[in-house]
Amino acid sequence: MKNLFLRIILVPHQKGQNIWVKIPIFFLILLFLFFFLGTVFFLTNIRDFFNTSSIAFLEIDNQKLKEKINIFKEKVEIFEDKIDSLLEEQNKVLEEHHILKNDKKDSLYFSPESLFVVSKWIDSIFISATKKYYSILSSVPSIMPVKGYIITKFGKRVDPFTGLVKTHPGIRILAPINTPVVSSGDGVVRDVGNTKGKGIFVEIEHPSGFVSSYSHLLRATVREGEKVKRGTVIGYIGQTGRAPYPYLFYEIRKGSTFIDPEKIMMGGY
């Protein structure tokens, strides 16, 4: 077989002599065997060349990414609905105050790419609402006006001077003489006076519609018409009027109705 040859003729495109090439048959057989064995080796060990196991993990990751994208789309839709609700509320407020209603919803519409702008807008609304809430809350007379102990509660009781049962429209708070008395909420001093029954007293009108009254004071430190904040000292515990010992007679009313101070009292002095 070593003496067998395969003769190939090479014909040039241009003019020239033909070329004869002799290739041994043995060499062609070896070349074929080398190619065949190389192909078999490559197919047998393909996993060593390519990590086919990672394909499954990539498919799982791809599926998770699709799920996350779907969740994000749902959140965007929810957020857009909330924006629509806010715009509707805004238009209601504008309409109530006779301000031109915004019919162009797109003019205040924020795309998902502008979520930061929207979040800042909502944050400013939240801060404004929070300030308004605390402003309303501080206008309610809802703290203990003096450091002391409640010795007589709101309701009916026997008058020690007449022996008759009558409605007790406030509470008595026992405290040492000259103990500071503070306003239980923001408001304006409505009246400062001195009567036979109440002794020296201070009345404060609050923006929430309540009126708080502080009686039997040693002295008052505020004047009529003066604005006070919750916690402002308005006087000192005394024994003026018909007080048999030092205490504060504390009343709250709304209109002509007296209210039990303990029911709206949220904290201490």
Side-chain angles (χ1 to χ4, degrees):
M1 185 177 288
K2 290 183 179 180
N3 296 325
L4 295 177
F5 295 93
L6 178 67
R7 299 185 68 183
I8 300 173
I9 184 171
L10 301 177
V11 180
H13 290 285
Q14 298 178 355
K15 293 181 179 181
Q17 296 181 352
N18 297 334
I19 302 172
W20 290 88
V21 178
K22 293 194 302 181
I23 301 175
I25 298 297
F26 179 74
F27 176 76
L28 292 174
I29 294 172
L30 287 177
L31 184 64
F32 174 75
L33 287 174
F34 178 78
F35 178 77
F36 176 76
L37 292 174
T39 302
V40 172
F41 175 79
F42 177 77
L43 293 175
T44 305
N45 299 278
I46 189 171
R47 291 185 178 180
D48 295 334
F49 294 96
F50 301 99
N51 185 9
T52 56
S53 62
S54 63
I55 296 175
F57 291 106
L58 289 173
E59 289 178 349
I60 294 172
D61 288 342
N62 189 37
Q63 184 62 32
K64 288 181 179 179
L65 286 173
K66 287 181 179 178
E67 291 175 358
K68 288 182 179 179
I69 289 172
N70 290 331
I71 292 172
F72 181 75
K73 286 180 178 179
E74 291 176 359
K75 289 184 177 180
V76 168
E77 291 175 358
I78 293 171
F79 192 78
E80 288 177 345
D81 291 339
K82 289 183 178 180
I83 291 175
D84 290 339
S85 298
L86 284 173
L87 290 173
E88 288 177 5
E89 290 297 324
Q90 173 189 267
N91 287 334
K92 286 180 181 178
V93 173
L94 292 174
E95 196 172 14
E96 287 176 1
H97 291 81
H98 307 288
I99 301 174
L100 181 63
K101 183 178 178 181
N102 181 19
D103 293 323
K104 296 182 179 180
K105 190 169 79 173
D106 292 337
S107 65
L108 285 179
Y109 173 76
F110 298 99
S111 64
E113 291 79 8
S114 303
L115 294 181
F116 177 74
V117 177
V118 178
S119 67
K120 294 291 286 182
W121 176 51
I122 294 175
D123 187 50
S124 65
I125 294 174
F126 175 75
I127 292 173
S128 177
T130 302
K131 288 181 179 179
K132 186 69 176 176
Y133 168 75
Y134 282 111
S135 175
I136 294 172
L137 190 64
S138 63
S139 69
V140 176
S142 55
I143 65 168
M144 190 82 159
V146 65
K147 289 182 179 179
Y149 302 93
I150 298 173
I151 56 172
T152 305
K153 294 187 175 291
F154 180 88
K156 293 183 178 181
R157 60 180 287 273
V158 177
D159 189 333
F161 295 97
T162 63
L164 300 176
V165 177
K166 69 173 187 177
T167 300
H168 197 243
I171 60 175
R172 285 181 177 180
I173 305 174
L174 184 66
I177 197 166
N178 212 33
T179 302
V181 177
V182 302
S183 173
S184 55
D186 296 351
V188 178
V189 178
R190 180 177 179 175
D191 192 12
V192 178
N194 188 357
T195 65
K196 185 177 179 181
K198 289 185 175 183
I200 298 173
F201 70 91
V202 173
E203 280 192 358
I204 297 175
E205 187 172 6
H206 306 276
S208 54
F210 293 97
V211 174
S212 57
S213 177
Y214 315 77
S215 304
H216 306 303
L217 300 175
L218 176 67
R219 61 188 176 92
T221 58
V222 290
R223 299 187 303 273
E224 186 177 338
E226 184 177 341
K227 291 183 178 180
V228 293
K229 291 287 186 181
R230 173 187 286 177
T232 301
V233 176
I234 60 170
Y236 295 88
I237 290 288
Q239 193 180 341
T240 58
R242 294 174 61 186
Y245 44 82
Y247 70 88
L248 175 71
F249 183 59
Y250 178 53
E251 296 173 292
I252 294 177
R253 67 179 184 273
K254 194 163 189 179
S256 59
T257 303
F258 287 92
I259 298 169
D260 185 354
E262 289 189 82
K263 290 185 177 180
I264 59 173
M265 201 176 287
M266 295 187 302
Y269 169 83

